[in-house]
Amino acid sequence: MPKKKYQKRKSNISIPLIFAGILVIGLAFVFSLHTLSDFGVENTPEQQETLSHQEFIDQLAPHAKELQQGYGILPSVILGQAILESNWGQSQLASQYKNLFGIKASGNQPKVSLETKEYINEQWVTIQGDFKVYSSWEESLDDHTMLFVNGTNWNPQLYAGVLTAADYRQAAQALQTAGYATDPGYANKIISVIETYNLEQYDHS
C-alpha cells in the first residue's frame, strides 16, 4: 500500500505574536523584582507609614546634608524636627501632603486646612490651621531651610541663630527663642530626639 502523505498543520499563532508574549511576560517578571521604594521619596502614604525609624532617617539624611553644605543648617536639627513634627512621617500632614514641619500656608499657596494643637495662654488648645502642601518630602525640607535663611516679612534675621549655631543644642535653643513653636518645651524635645537617635553623626559625616 502506498504511504499516506501527511501535511503539516499550520499554526494560527504567528511567530511575532509568540515573541511579543514572551517579551511581556519577561518585562512583568523584571518589574516584579523591584519594590516601590526603589522609586525614591515619592512613596504612597501607606508605604511611608511602614518605614522603620532608621529607614525614615536614611531617606531624609542625604538631602539634609546637602542643605547643610548650601546653607549651614545642621542635619541633626532638620532630622530632629522632621521626626518630632511629623511623627516619623506618619502624620496626615506628612504622609498625604508631604509637609514634614507643620509650615503654615498664606495667600494663594497650595494648602490644606487641618486641626492642630497650639500652646496659648499656658494651655493647649485645638485650632484650625492652613498648612502648605508639597509635592515631595525633599521640597518640604527645602522650604523649611529657606524659612531659616529668609526669616519672616517682619524680621528677616529671625532664625539667623539657627543657621550660625555651633551645635544642635544652640540651634534648638535658637528655635525656641525665635518662637518657631508655641510649645514651651520644644527645644528640649528636639535635643532629646537628636540624642536618642544619635542624629549628631550626620552633622560631621
Side-chain angles (χ1 to χ4, degrees):
M1 288 181 65
K3 293 183 179 180
K4 291 183 179 179
K5 293 183 178 179
Y6 292 95
Q7 186 175 7
K8 287 187 178 180
R9 194 174 175 184
K10 291 184 178 180
S11 172
N12 293 326
I13 303 175
S14 65
I15 298 300
L17 284 177
I18 294 174
F19 280 113
I22 294 173
L23 180 61
V24 170
I25 294 172
L27 288 174
F29 176 74
V30 170
F31 183 78
S32 68
L33 296 179
H34 295 277
T35 63
L36 288 176
S37 62
D38 292 333
F39 295 95
V41 174
E42 297 299 327
N43 293 329
T44 64
E46 291 77 10
Q47 289 165 326
Q48 289 173 349
E49 289 177 357
T50 63
L51 291 177
S52 70
H53 289 178
Q54 190 58 50
E55 286 171 338
F56 181 77
I57 293 170
D58 290 344
Q59 192 162 325
L60 300 184
H63 196 59
K65 289 160 72 173
E66 289 177 1
L67 292 171
Q68 179 189 31
Q69 294 171 4
Y71 302 99
I73 184 170
L74 296 173
S76 61
V77 174
I78 296 176
L79 297 172
Q81 283 195 280
I83 291 168
L84 186 64
E85 298 279 355
S86 74
N87 187 28
W88 298 96
Q90 296 184 50
S91 70
Q92 182 182 6
L93 187 60
S95 62
Q96 294 184 24
Y97 304 105
K98 305 297 191 294
N99 188 331
L100 289 167
F101 303 96
I103 294 180
K104 299 286 184 66
S106 61
N108 295 322
Q109 294 173 332
K111 59 189 174 184
V112 60
S113 183
L114 296 173
E115 286 188 350
T116 183
K117 289 186 176 181
E118 294 194 359
Y119 194 79
I120 301 174
N121 295 327
E122 299 185 352
Q123 62 179 342
W124 287 101
V125 296
T126 300
I127 64 171
Q128 200 76 13
D130 288 337
F131 297 91
K132 284 188 177 183
V133 174
Y134 300 102
S135 61
S136 68
W137 280 351
E138 286 189 344
E139 186 181 355
S140 179
L141 263 64
D142 290 340
D143 201 33
H144 172 257
T145 295
M146 295 316 295
L147 172 65
F148 296 152
V149 172
N150 298 324
T152 61
N153 292 334
W154 63 90
N155 185 359
Q157 299 299 315
L158 183 62
Y159 296 108
V162 179
L163 297 174
T164 59
D167 55 47
Y168 65 88
R169 287 180 168 275
Q170 286 186 16
Q173 292 298 333
L175 283 170
Q176 185 88 57
T177 302
Y180 180 89
T182 57
D183 183 353
Y186 191 74
N188 289 334
K189 289 178 181 178
I190 292 294
I191 291 170
S192 177
V193 169
I194 291 173
E195 294 179 346
T196 299
Y197 296 98
N198 190 28
L199 302 181
E200 187 186 11
Q201 63 179 302
Y202 300 100
D203 296 344
H204 312 292
S205 59

